[in-house]
Amino acid sequence: MDINRPGLGGDLPAADVLWARWALIAVLEATTADEEERHHRVGTWVDDEGLHLDDCGCTWWSFAPRGAGRYVLFGEDESSGVKWHEPPIDMFAGAPDWLPHEELRDLLSGNQLGCVYWFEDGSWTRAPYPATLHDDGLDCGMSRFVDRKDVLRTIADEDHGAMPTHDAETLLAHAEGCRLTPDLLMSLVNEPDWRELDRPAMTRALRLAGLERT
């Protein structure tokens, strides 16, 4: 599935699907050391505020539930032209009151915000863009989670223990169905060559992300 430039709400999967895919990667990469990072955390992770992605360079994103089937997705990729556009684009035009407006405006005032999308009543929406905007960064930032085949390749790559494709499919299917147990997770993951798996941290991340409904 391709993402338009600039992005459209319909380019993104349903919020619960996006959540499950992103969260599974966060679980596979969870470590106690990263949980204890107090300065600038990088990678893919979940915490009490939601899901996060930061490559310490080109792109950062946050994805948070806002209750009652509502979610907000915001961040920036260096490809975004929103904050440089003239005349200025109002990223909050038509935005609902339940967005974290204070946090978003703080980011905007610091020149750190590239786009904002929100999910409500089963669909994604964003502010209107002028025809002269060529990219808002959604493609480069979120394409890794949009195409299911790309997600499976990430799960099965060497950074995540080079697991067989059918095991990656099992993990993803159970994550998307919110039935991924710690036992199933640990039975399928392999130790990468370059690091030890932090199973306690992975279990904490799995439960924090809600990938196993009880």
PDB file of all heavy atoms in Angstrom, residues 170-183:
ATOM      1  N   THR A 170       2.763 -15.389  12.530  1.00  0.00           N
ATOM      2  CA  THR A 170       2.034 -15.766  13.742  1.00  0.00           C
ATOM      3  C   THR A 170       2.064 -14.649  14.772  1.00  0.00           C
ATOM      4  O   THR A 170       1.032 -14.292  15.369  1.00  0.00           O
ATOM      5  CB  THR A 170       2.627 -17.047  14.350  1.00  0.00           C
ATOM      6  OG1 THR A 170       2.480 -18.123  13.415  1.00  0.00           O
ATOM      7  CG2 THR A 170       1.918 -17.426  15.652  1.00  0.00           C
ATOM      8  N   LEU A 171       3.243 -14.072  14.988  1.00  0.00           N
ATOM      9  CA  LEU A 171       3.363 -12.966  15.937  1.00  0.00           C
ATOM     10  C   LEU A 171       2.475 -11.796  15.540  1.00  0.00           C
ATOM     11  O   LEU A 171       1.752 -11.232  16.369  1.00  0.00           O
ATOM     12  CB  LEU A 171       4.818 -12.498  16.018  1.00  0.00           C
ATOM     13  CG  LEU A 171       5.781 -13.271  16.905  1.00  0.00           C
ATOM     14  CD1 LEU A 171       7.170 -12.639  16.828  1.00  0.00           C
ATOM     15  CD2 LEU A 171       5.297 -13.291  18.352  1.00  0.00           C
ATOM     16  N   LEU A 172       2.545 -11.420  14.264  1.00  0.00           N
ATOM     17  CA  LEU A 172       1.785 -10.256  13.817  1.00  0.00           C
ATOM     18  C   LEU A 172       0.283 -10.519  13.888  1.00  0.00           C
ATOM     19  O   LEU A 172      -0.488  -9.649  14.313  1.00  0.00           O
ATOM     20  CB  LEU A 172       2.197  -9.866  12.398  1.00  0.00           C
ATOM     21  CG  LEU A 172       1.537  -8.612  11.827  1.00  0.00           C
ATOM     22  CD1 LEU A 172       1.737  -7.414  12.756  1.00  0.00           C
ATOM     23  CD2 LEU A 172       2.073  -8.302  10.439  1.00  0.00           C
ATOM     24  N   ALA A 173      -0.148 -11.702  13.484  1.00  0.00           N
ATOM     25  CA  ALA A 173      -1.579 -12.021  13.531  1.00  0.00           C
ATOM     26  C   ALA A 173      -2.106 -11.975  14.959  1.00  0.00           C
ATOM     27  O   ALA A 173      -3.198 -11.457  15.220  1.00  0.00           O
ATOM     28  CB  ALA A 173      -1.829 -13.397  12.913  1.00  0.00           C
ATOM     29  N   HIS A 174      -1.326 -12.492  15.893  1.00  0.00           N
ATOM     30  CA  HIS A 174      -1.760 -12.475  17.287  1.00  0.00           C
ATOM     31  C   HIS A 174      -1.721 -11.058  17.858  1.00  0.00           C
ATOM     32  O   HIS A 174      -2.577 -10.697  18.677  1.00  0.00           O
ATOM     33  CB  HIS A 174      -0.911 -13.430  18.124  1.00  0.00           C
ATOM     34  CG  HIS A 174      -1.335 -14.862  18.005  1.00  0.00           C
ATOM     35  ND1 HIS A 174      -1.115 -15.608  16.872  1.00  0.00           N
ATOM     36  CD2 HIS A 174      -1.991 -15.681  18.878  1.00  0.00           C
ATOM     37  CE1 HIS A 174      -1.614 -16.840  17.045  1.00  0.00           C
ATOM     38  NE2 HIS A 174      -2.148 -16.895  18.247  1.00  0.00           N
ATOM     39  N   ALA A 175      -0.749 -10.267  17.445  1.00  0.00           N
ATOM     40  CA  ALA A 175      -0.708  -8.871  17.900  1.00  0.00           C
ATOM     41  C   ALA A 175      -1.910  -8.103  17.372  1.00  0.00           C
ATOM     42  O   ALA A 175      -2.566  -7.356  18.115  1.00  0.00           O
ATOM     43  CB  ALA A 175       0.592  -8.210  17.451  1.00  0.00           C
ATOM     44  N   GLU A 176      -2.209  -8.263  16.091  1.00  0.00           N
ATOM     45  CA  GLU A 176      -3.338  -7.555  15.491  1.00  0.00           C
ATOM     46  C   GLU A 176      -4.672  -8.008  16.085  1.00  0.00           C
ATOM     47  O   GLU A 176      -5.636  -7.247  16.095  1.00  0.00           O
ATOM     48  CB  GLU A 176      -3.331  -7.743  13.977  1.00  0.00           C
ATOM     49  CG  GLU A 176      -2.188  -7.023  13.285  1.00  0.00           C
ATOM     50  CD  GLU A 176      -2.135  -7.249  11.784  1.00  0.00           C
ATOM     51  OE1 GLU A 176      -2.713  -8.262  11.296  1.00  0.00           O
ATOM     52  OE2 GLU A 176      -1.523  -6.427  11.093  1.00  0.00           O
ATOM     53  N   GLY A 177      -4.703  -9.239  16.582  1.00  0.00           N
ATOM     54  CA  GLY A 177      -5.921  -9.737  17.218  1.00  0.00           C
ATOM     55  C   GLY A 177      -5.951  -9.525  18.725  1.00  0.00           C
ATOM     56  O   GLY A 177      -6.883  -9.992  19.393  1.00  0.00           O
ATOM     57  N   CYS A 178      -4.923  -8.833  19.252  1.00  0.00           N
ATOM     58  CA  CYS A 178      -4.811  -8.572  20.694  1.00  0.00           C
ATOM     59  C   CYS A 178      -4.886  -9.860  21.513  1.00  0.00           C
ATOM     60  O   CYS A 178      -5.557  -9.933  22.552  1.00  0.00           O
ATOM     61  CB  CYS A 178      -5.885  -7.589  21.169  1.00  0.00           C
ATOM     62  SG  CYS A 178      -5.649  -5.923  20.527  1.00  0.00           S
ATOM     63  N   ARG A 179      -4.173 -10.879  21.034  1.00  0.00           N
ATOM     64  CA  ARG A 179      -4.130 -12.147  21.753  1.00  0.00           C
ATOM     65  C   ARG A 179      -2.693 -12.679  21.827  1.00  0.00           C
ATOM     66  O   ARG A 179      -2.463 -13.887  21.878  1.00  0.00           O
ATOM     67  CB  ARG A 179      -5.053 -13.169  21.077  1.00  0.00           C
ATOM     68  CG  ARG A 179      -4.775 -13.420  19.620  1.00  0.00           C
ATOM     69  CD  ARG A 179      -5.740 -14.453  19.015  1.00  0.00           C
ATOM     70  NE  ARG A 179      -5.331 -14.826  17.666  1.00  0.00           N
ATOM     71  CZ  ARG A 179      -5.654 -14.160  16.570  1.00  0.00           C
ATOM     72  NH1 ARG A 179      -6.418 -13.080  16.658  1.00  0.00           N
ATOM     73  NH2 ARG A 179      -5.238 -14.556  15.377  1.00  0.00           N
ATOM     74  N   LEU A 180      -1.731 -11.763  21.842  1.00  0.00           N
ATOM     75  CA  LEU A 180      -0.327 -12.149  21.911  1.00  0.00           C
ATOM     76  C   LEU A 180       0.082 -12.280  23.368  1.00  0.00           C
ATOM     77  O   LEU A 180       0.222 -11.298  24.086  1.00  0.00           O
ATOM     78  CB  LEU A 180       0.554 -11.106  21.213  1.00  0.00           C
ATOM     79  CG  LEU A 180       2.055 -11.388  21.199  1.00  0.00           C
ATOM     80  CD1 LEU A 180       2.356 -12.714  20.515  1.00  0.00           C
ATOM     81  CD2 LEU A 180       2.813 -10.255  20.525  1.00  0.00           C
ATOM     82  N   THR A 181       0.286 -13.512  23.816  1.00  0.00           N
ATOM     83  CA  THR A 181       0.682 -13.768  25.199  1.00  0.00           C
ATOM     84  C   THR A 181       2.195 -13.720  25.332  1.00  0.00           C
ATOM     85  O   THR A 181       2.923 -13.954  24.357  1.00  0.00           O
ATOM     86  CB  THR A 181       0.191 -15.140  25.650  1.00  0.00           C
ATOM     87  OG1 THR A 181       0.865 -16.150  24.878  1.00  0.00           O
ATOM     88  CG2 THR A 181      -1.319 -15.285  25.466  1.00  0.00           C
ATOM     89  N   PRO A 182       2.706 -13.445  26.536  1.00  0.00           N
ATOM     90  CA  PRO A 182       4.151 -13.512  26.736  1.00  0.00           C
ATOM     91  C   PRO A 182       4.743 -14.878  26.383  1.00  0.00           C
ATOM     92  O   PRO A 182       5.829 -14.957  25.816  1.00  0.00           O
ATOM     93  CB  PRO A 182       4.312 -13.201  28.233  1.00  0.00           C
ATOM     94  CG  PRO A 182       3.115 -12.362  28.567  1.00  0.00           C
ATOM     95  CD  PRO A 182       2.001 -12.932  27.731  1.00  0.00           C
ATOM     96  N   ASP A 183       4.020 -15.939  26.714  1.00  0.00           N
ATOM     97  CA  ASP A 183       4.533 -17.287  26.410  1.00  0.00           C
ATOM     98  C   ASP A 183       4.683 -17.495  24.910  1.00  0.00           C
ATOM     99  O   ASP A 183       5.698 -18.043  24.449  1.00  0.00           O
ATOM    100  CB  ASP A 183       3.596 -18.355  26.984  1.00  0.00           C
ATOM    101  CG  ASP A 183       3.702 -18.466  28.498  1.00  0.00           C
ATOM    102  OD1 ASP A 183       4.687 -17.936  29.060  1.00  0.00           O
ATOM    103  OD2 ASP A 183       2.802 -19.064  29.110  1.00  0.00           O
TER     104      ASP A 183
END
